[in-house]
Amino acid sequence: MKEDMPKIPPSPIRLHKQLERVWGTGSGWQRLSAVNHTILGKRFMLTAFVFFAIGGILAMLIRAQLATPNSAFVGPDIYNQLFSMHGTVMMFLFAIPMLEGLAIYLLPKMLGARDMAFPRLTAYGYWCYLFGGTIIVASMLFGVGPDSGWFMYTPLSSQPYTPGINADIWLLGVTFVEISAVSAAIEITVSILKLRAPGMSLNRMPLFAWYMLVTALMMVFGFPPLILGSILLELERAFGLPFFDPTRGGDPLLWQHLFWLFGHPEVYIIFLPAAGAISTMVPVFAQRKIVGYHPIVAAIVALGFLSFGLWVHHMFTVGIPHLALAFFSAASALVAVPTAVQLFAWLATLAHGRPRFDIPMLYITGFFVVFVIGGLTGVMLAMVPFNQQAHDSYFVVAHLHYVLVGGFVFPMLAAAYYWLPHITGRKSVHRISIPAFWLIFIGFNLTFFMMHLTGLMGMPRRIYTYPSNFGWDWLNLLSSVGGFILAIGFALFAVDLVLQFRFGKRYRRNPWNASTLDWAMPTRPTSYAFASLPKIEERGDGLDPDRLGPALAAGNGYLGFVRNGRMETVGVDMTTGRLEHVAILPGPTYLPLISAVLTGALVLCLLFKLYTGAAILAVATLASFFLWSRPTGVKSDAGLVPVGRGEKAPLDVEVNGSSSWWAMVFGLAADGTLFASLLFGTLYLWLIAPGWPPSEIAEPTIWTWLAPAAVAVSSTAWRFCKRINAKGGNFTPMLVLTIVVDIVAIVFISLAIVALPDPRNHAHLATAAALLGFGWIHATLGLLFGLNALMKTVDGYVSKRRNLPLRLASLWHDYTAATAIVIGAMLALMPMLIGMLEGVR
């Protein structure tokens, strides 16, 4: 295969046309096949904004109901749906997708890459988000919206108390959306670590990339506990497995632990990308570099770690031991330190610069005021005595909105004005920008500051009405008036953005005089981002886009050409930024949309308990993923290929540290977090839950021992496959043997599940079934990895050098073998642990 670059570099116009033919997306229905990060990032942000508007309408209905005492505007059933849906939409359908969309749009442009690492996964994630969010929101139109709160506390959300499909819609829809979010988090992590401009080491990355890297890693480790909790609660509701039923050995508090293991990192997952946007904008408007780059990076990392030690902050009143209360209270107060480091760095940058005021700075100033108030009330709530008095009052509602709206919405409004010229190629006319800001700022504070007072006066949250003799009347009326002022402000903001699209002034390049790579390109951006990729020799927030832009557009960088009609970008060493390989990306395809449609139909079948149809659709969905894999890769060894600037590098399929390898590593890290959460739940119920010891015990059977052994044999066989391939031998017979062993392992695990007593009888049996089910799913996926490797081998995509399918399958089987051994040990130990419990109780 010829892998040479053109001997004569094309002219800039010809280069642009060549790149556009390869990277561009067609018009009309072809837009549905888009995998380009610019298109998908805009779709994420626009869809998130639509969901934000829906959440705002729900909030206005809530404030209309609470404006006066004894209101009959809506009844309790509708009100429960309103406040449940408002929280769900804002947390799951607006905040997370909005930050994902911003990252997907900006990161390749800031890091000097042409796209994200897995464009089809981005497209699949978007369609899953759209379909999952639509299912959740549409449920209200049919009167079956979730009504147990956006936190879905058990036993209120359990089958006896919520018998309809209201809770199932939340559980399945949110799980659908969260799996999409974890996929996006893995892609963001890998893209930041591997797809940067050569020379951009970690300590040269712009701060926005650091913020998004920590955020994505928090999502990788923070979302699996909620996914597990949602699956377990749906299993309890659909099949009667009693994970949270105290009458059968479960415990409702297990749900709170799993939920808040996600829920408190979620606050900082929302805050950090907004803080990254501020760290990008403040130096631009201060007209100097950010003060304290390295302390800010340390603060971001510290905040990420500390956020995972705060989940009991939300459970101070449930009967936690005093020592644990002291620990989590101290951690809740300590998290203010890295937050303060960032605030003082921003203020120091402004103080030592020459600030110029524009609309983005107006919203950043609003952020400082609102977020600091929210932080102060957060320190108050971190103190256990005060928390026990204010818990579940409107004081907590006020604090939550000051932190989330102050920490996310105000920075995102600033970011909209800052980066919208990048999207539109037009500058805002600012005719109604300032009135919109003041309406939003005044309306927000009027709405939520009053809630501090009603909370301190004893008004509980989540009530649909109240009597007129507690002195809350006028405060609630002011809050409702403020809410409608806030809504008018957001409406003006939306109108202002539309006017910018239509009447904004066109500009040439870099209207803000910024110093990051995202402004070193024409706007609106091209589908390929950069005509050639830069070599970075200084920090990524201290560049000269006005000089770099024309040079890169002329092809004077890496990959300033089109080779074999392929979409190429460069991959680098994760830490040093040294040029490592050429990454080949897939082109536009309808496969992500098809897979998402099948996945959405699968969720609907589960929702309506059509389990036969769900099984068929599950197989169809997996088959669609096989179609993703079939045409990818190259069929001959290429060796080192030219990349421009007189340098050469291998293709990604011929290196060990490719993006796909690291995606598998982080995917297994997320899966391992889910597995650890399942083990935690098993041991938690054994130690804490009422109704133990059980009358029936899941005694180990011969299948309990044979299943891990078979998985371990399969893992060993995969190692032999790699070894034979490394020596240039024929590994196909060994590969077929691994597939046979995988089938045997699946049979053994199935027999172990069948041998269990009825898992509906007790939580011990239910957790045993869940552990075996986890092993069965992973053994089945291991079989699919094996079949995929066999298919790629037969098609000619695997050789001694191009061995990625073998390495990925081997890594999966090693992980599956490790978890299978742990599952077998847990099932073997549980009877002994239960016997110890009998002696204690």
Side-chain angles (χ1 to χ4, degrees):
M1 179 185 295
K2 188 176 181 180
E3 298 287 351
D4 295 332
M5 60 185 284
K7 293 181 179 179
I8 302 176
S11 68
I13 295 177
R14 186 180 175 191
L15 175 61
H16 165 75
K17 291 180 178 179
Q18 291 176 348
L19 289 168
E20 191 61 35
R21 277 196 299 269
V22 174
W23 289 84
T25 302
S27 58
W29 290 104
Q30 293 180 357
R31 301 289 285 182
L32 297 177
S33 69
V35 296
N36 182 271
H37 79 280
T38 297
I39 295 173
L40 294 172
K42 290 190 289 187
R43 284 181 181 173
F44 265 103
M45 290 187 284
L46 180 60
T47 307
F49 187 78
V50 171
F51 282 125
F52 176 75
I54 294 171
I57 293 170
L58 296 174
M60 292 303 95
L61 295 175
I62 293 171
R63 288 317 316 169
Q65 169 67 17
L66 296 177
T68 57
N70 302 311
S71 174
F73 180 64
V74 296
D77 293 338
I78 297 299
Y79 184 82
N80 286 342
Q81 292 186 40
L82 289 175
F83 89 81
S84 300
M85 285 295 301
H86 169 69
T88 300
V89 168
M90 291 305 194
M91 295 292 283
F92 298 105
L93 302 182
F94 164 63
I96 295 299
M98 178 62 79
L99 68 88
E100 288 176 349
L102 185 65
I104 290 167
Y105 180 85
L106 280 179
L107 282 174
K109 299 173 177 63
M110 278 195 172
L111 298 177
R114 282 181 171 155
D115 210 323
M116 302 292 284
F118 310 105
R120 292 180 301 180
L121 187 62
T122 307
Y124 175 73
Y126 170 74
W127 294 118
C128 286
Y129 159 54
L130 177 63
F131 297 155
T134 301
I135 290 171
I136 295 173
V137 171
S139 64
M140 284 203 69
L141 301 178
F142 299 96
V144 290
D147 56 1
S148 301
W150 67 273
F151 37 80
M152 290 294 286
Y153 281 167
T154 56
L156 180 63
S157 57
S158 299
Q159 188 69 28
Y161 303 99
T162 308
I165 65 170
N166 304 62
D168 301 302
I169 289 171
W170 191 96
L171 293 169
L172 292 170
V174 165
T175 301
F176 192 11
V177 172
E178 291 299 279
I179 291 174
S180 164
V182 172
S183 300
I186 293 171
E187 179 172 26
I188 290 169
T189 302
V190 174
S191 297
I192 293 173
L193 292 176
K194 297 299 296 181
L195 301 189
R196 305 195 299 269
M200 185 180 283
S201 58
L202 285 180
N203 63 357
R204 288 178 178 172
M205 286 200 311
L207 280 173
F208 183 81
W210 270 109
Y211 276 99
M212 286 310 310
L213 176 61
V214 173
T215 300
L217 287 172
M218 290 172 67
M219 293 167 69
V220 167
F221 293 103
F223 284 12
L226 176 62
I227 294 172
L228 173 69
S230 300
I231 293 172
L232 295 183
L233 183 51
E234 183 58 28
L235 287 174
E236 178 175 301
R237 290 179 55 83
F239 303 108
L241 277 62
F243 300 103
F244 308 104
D245 182 358
T247 64
R248 293 180 288 161
D251 191 348
L253 286 185
L254 175 60
W255 169 264
Q256 290 198 36
H257 281 289
L258 294 174
F259 183 86
W260 290 116
L261 274 168
F262 145 85
H264 207 91
E266 163 87 342
V267 174
Y268 300 99
I269 288 170
I270 292 172
F271 166 67
L272 283 176
I278 291 174
S279 292
T280 303
M281 292 182 286
V282 163
V284 173
F285 292 102
Q287 302 183 77
R288 63 150 295 154
K289 281 189 176 182
I290 191 79
V291 172
Y293 174 92
H294 292 97
I296 290 176
V297 172
I300 301 166
V301 175
L303 197 60
F305 276 106
L306 286 173
S307 67
F308 284 94
L310 305 179
W311 82 90
V312 179
H313 173 93
H314 298 268
M315 301 171 63
F316 282 166
T317 62
V318 301
I320 300 296
H322 287 180
L323 182 61
L325 289 178
F327 172 82
F328 286 104
S329 177
S332 299
L334 185 62
V335 79
V337 175
T339 306
V341 169
Q342 297 168 72
L343 285 168
F344 285 122
W346 297 328
L347 293 173
T349 302
L350 291 170
H352 289 83
R354 302 187 306 279
R356 55 189 173 95
F357 236 76
D358 210 312
I359 300 302
M361 274 303 298
L362 202 58
Y363 281 99
I364 290 173
T365 304
F367 153 79
F368 281 128
V369 174
V370 173
F371 186 73
V372 168
I373 294 174
L376 292 174
T377 57
V379 174
M380 295 167 65
L381 288 169
M383 304 299 108
V384 176
F386 181 84
N387 187 294
Q388 291 180 333
Q389 296 299 315
H391 184 78
D392 266 350
S393 74
Y394 260 83
F395 188 91
V396 178
V397 177
H399 159 71
L400 176 70
H401 284 83
Y402 265 84
V403 169
L404 292 184
V405 177
F408 183 74
V409 175
F410 273 88
M412 285 298 100
L413 296 176
Y417 279 108
Y418 179 75
W419 274 297
L420 201 61
H422 197 291
I423 296 173
T424 64
R426 296 174 181 268
K427 297 171 67 174
S428 176
V429 292
H430 293 337
R431 290 175 182 168
I432 55 176
S433 306
I434 295 176
F437 165 78
W438 285 111
L439 286 171
I440 291 171
F441 183 77
I442 294 171
F444 173 82
N445 283 284
L446 183 61
T447 302
F448 294 103
F449 190 82
M450 301 303 162
M451 293 183 189
H452 291 105
L453 305 180
T454 54
L456 292 174
M457 294 171 66
M459 183 174 177
R461 63 197 300 190
R462 306 170 195 140
I463 57 171
Y464 84 101
T465 190
Y466 53 91
S468 60
N469 56 347
F470 288 113
W472 307 336
D473 306 24
W474 66 278
L475 293 171
N476 274 300
L477 181 60
L478 285 177
S479 284
S480 295
V481 171
F484 283 94
I485 293 174
L486 179 63
I488 294 170
F490 280 122
L492 282 181
F493 167 80
V495 170
D496 194 34
L497 298 193
V498 173
L499 291 177
Q500 176 172 335
F501 272 95
R502 180 65 181 85
F503 301 109
K505 299 176 183 177
R506 296 187 182 276
Y507 68 96
R508 292 180 62 83
R509 192 189 299 270
N510 195 11
W512 304 113
N513 195 27
S515 55
T516 49
L517 270 177
D518 48 314
W519 295 104
M521 62 175 59
T523 52
R524 298 179 292 176
T526 56
S527 58
Y528 49 84
F530 298 97
S532 60
L533 305 180
K535 172 81 171 180
I536 301 299
E537 297 177 341
E538 54 187 312
R539 218 168 69 195
D541 59 355
L543 304 175
D544 184 358
D546 297 323
R547 178 184 60 82
L548 270 175
L552 297 178
N556 300 327
Y558 293 100
L559 297 180
F561 52 86
V562 174
R563 178 172 29 220
N564 298 331
R566 293 196 304 236
M567 297 168 60
E568 294 181 339
T569 189
V570 298
V572 299
D573 179 78
M574 288 198 301
T575 54
T576 65
R578 174 182 52 83
L579 175 64
E580 187 177 77
H581 64 266
V582 176
I584 302 174
L585 304 180
T589 172
Y590 293 101
L591 286 173
L593 175 58
I594 294 170
S595 298
V597 169
L598 291 171
T599 310
L602 169 62
V603 169
L604 289 175
C605 283
L606 292 172
L607 180 62
F608 294 107
K609 298 180 171 46
L610 304 174
Y611 297 119
T612 302
I616 295 172
L617 284 166
V619 173
T621 303
L622 292 173
S624 73
F625 287 125
F626 263 84
L627 295 176
W628 287 33
S629 174
R630 182 135 196 157
T632 57
V634 294
K635 289 191 174 184
S636 62
D637 296 341
L640 297 178
V641 300
V643 294
R645 297 176 61 96
E647 299 184 44
K648 294 185 177 182
L651 300 181
D652 54 354
V653 294
E654 299 181 11
V655 298
N656 290 329
S658 67
S659 299
S660 297
W661 167 262
W662 283 107
M664 176 66 82
V665 170
F666 289 112
L668 292 179
D671 191 270
T673 305
L674 188 145
F675 181 59
S677 301
L678 181 56
L679 293 177
F680 163 77
T682 302
L683 295 173
Y684 176 86
L685 293 178
W686 167 66
L687 284 170
I688 304 297
W692 286 64
S695 58
E696 291 182 283
I697 296 178
E699 297 286 353
T701 64
I702 184 65
W703 313 115
T704 309
W705 304 109
L706 288 177
V711 176
V713 169
S714 178
S715 173
T716 304
W718 273 106
R719 291 179 175 271
F720 278 111
C721 275
K722 291 195 300 180
R723 189 175 303 173
I724 295 170
N725 179 58
K727 294 179 179 179
N730 180 16
F731 60 89
T732 305
M734 181 61 70
L735 197 158
V736 173
L737 176 62
T738 64
I739 293 173
V740 173
V741 176
D742 282 337
I743 295 172
V744 172
I746 293 169
V747 172
F748 286 164
I749 298 172
S750 301
L751 292 172
I753 295 173
V754 172
L756 281 176
D758 189 347
R760 294 172 295 182
N761 292 340
H762 195 273
H764 159 58
L765 303 174
T767 53
L771 288 167
L772 288 171
F774 181 92
W776 187 92
I777 291 171
H778 285 70
T780 301
L781 292 175
L783 172 63
L784 297 178
F785 273 106
L787 292 173
N788 178 68
L790 180 61
M791 178 185 71
K792 302 288 282 187
T793 301
V794 171
D795 288 345
Y797 290 104
V798 178
S799 71
K800 181 178 178 180
R801 297 180 63 170
R802 293 173 286 109
N803 60 359
L804 181 61
L806 301 184
R807 291 189 291 111
L808 294 179
S810 179
L811 182 59
W812 179 270
H813 280 78
D814 288 345
Y815 169 80
T816 303
T819 56
I821 292 170
V822 173
I823 291 170
M826 176 64 75
L827 295 177
L829 286 173
M830 280 307 295
M832 182 183 70
L833 295 174
I834 292 171
M836 294 169 51
L837 193 65
E838 288 179 341
V840 173
R841 293 186 178 178

